Amino acid sequence: MEQKEKVKTLIDDVDLTHKYSMSRIYGLYNDVFGTTETPQSCASCLIRKVNQLRAWLSEQKEDSDCKQVVKKRSKASKS
């Protein structure tokens, strides 16, 4: 599964169940941001990490949308 899909699935699960898996959140967070943070069990830490992953995912979607617009404009200008 692609990194963006894993993050989206995690966020969807958290939104649906309101349960925060410490190892899953920190595992994805470390993978996405290239860090080696030690998992913390405090609720505010987990919420903050999920919110940072949420922001990262939003940026990825914006980048993808921009690339699609550029491709469409490029094809239109070639015609």
Side-chain angles (χ1 to χ4, degrees):
M1 187 183 306
E2 189 180 334
Q3 200 174 40
K4 286 190 283 189
E5 289 299 318
K6 289 179 183 179
V7 172
K8 184 180 179 333
T9 301
L10 170 74
I11 291 169
D12 290 344
D13 289 348
V14 167
D15 289 345
L16 182 65
T17 65
H18 302 285
K19 292 183 181 177
Y20 292 78
S21 168
M22 183 176 63
S23 60
R24 188 171 169 207
I25 291 168
Y26 273 86
L28 270 174
Y29 180 88
N30 286 335
D31 187 42
V32 166
F33 294 106
T35 60
T36 56
E37 292 191 26
T38 304
Q40 304 291 319
S41 61
C42 73
S44 63
C45 296
L46 294 170
I47 292 168
R48 186 173 46 252
K49 296 300 179 201
V50 169
N51 286 337
Q52 289 171 320
L53 287 168
R54 195 182 304 270
W56 175 85
L57 184 62
S58 178
E59 289 172 8
Q60 300 305 307
K61 288 181 180 178
E62 289 173 11
D63 287 347
S64 176
D65 292 344
C66 288
K67 288 177 186 175
Q68 289 177 359
V69 168
V70 169
K71 284 181 184 177
K72 287 179 183 178
R73 287 183 182 165
S74 175
K75 287 180 183 178
S77 66
K78 290 180 183 178
S79 301

